[in-house]
Amino acid sequence: MVRKFFVGGNWKMNGNKGVNQEIIQTLVTGPLDDNTEVVVAVPSIYLSEVRRVLPSKVGVSAQNAYKVAKGAFTGEI
């Protein structure tokens, strides 16, 4: 069995709905290699929106959020 290449992207707490739309549009329109598994981890508040609009071949996972506006925090919801 041939293993797929895996690419995972973590939103962290950077961005907002506008930035999310740019990333989503890239994933929707950009060519994704069928031999690559793509998964994005988004803050929990964006989970349902991102899952709804991304193609099913892009995996979506949740991550937590923190009390500050942005940064690389992944410890609280």
Side-chain angles (χ1 to χ4, degrees), residues 2 12 16 18 26 33-36 39 41 51 66 68 71 75-76:
V2 177
K12 298 273 187 213
N16 53 42
T26 298
D33 188 321
D34 289 336
N35 294 315
T36 302
V39 176
R51 176 65 286 165
Y66 192 61
V68 298
E76 322 309 326

Side-chain angles (χ1 to χ4, degrees), residues 19-36:
V19 172
N20 291 351
Q21 289 304 319
E22 292 176 26
I23 296 169
I24 289 166
Q25 190 61 33
T26 298
L27 290 168
V28 168
T29 60
L32 299 177
D33 188 321
D34 289 336
N35 294 315
T36 302

Side-chain angles (χ1 to χ4, degrees), residues 10-67:
N10 187 338
W11 251 249
K12 298 273 187 213
M13 288 180 40
N14 301 305
N16 53 42
K17 284 191 170 222
V19 172
N20 291 351
Q21 289 304 319
E22 292 176 26
I23 296 169
I24 289 166
Q25 190 61 33
T26 298
L27 290 168
V28 168
T29 60
L32 299 177
D33 188 321
D34 289 336
N35 294 315
T36 302
E37 181 179 0
V38 178
V39 176
V40 295
V42 301
S44 57
I45 60 172
Y46 300 127
L47 183 61
S48 62
E49 172 193 2
V50 172
R51 176 65 286 165
R52 182 176 38 81
V53 297
L54 281 181
S56 61
K57 65 181 178 180
V58 177
V60 177
S61 65
Q63 66 178 54
N64 52 354
Y66 192 61
K67 62 185 175 182

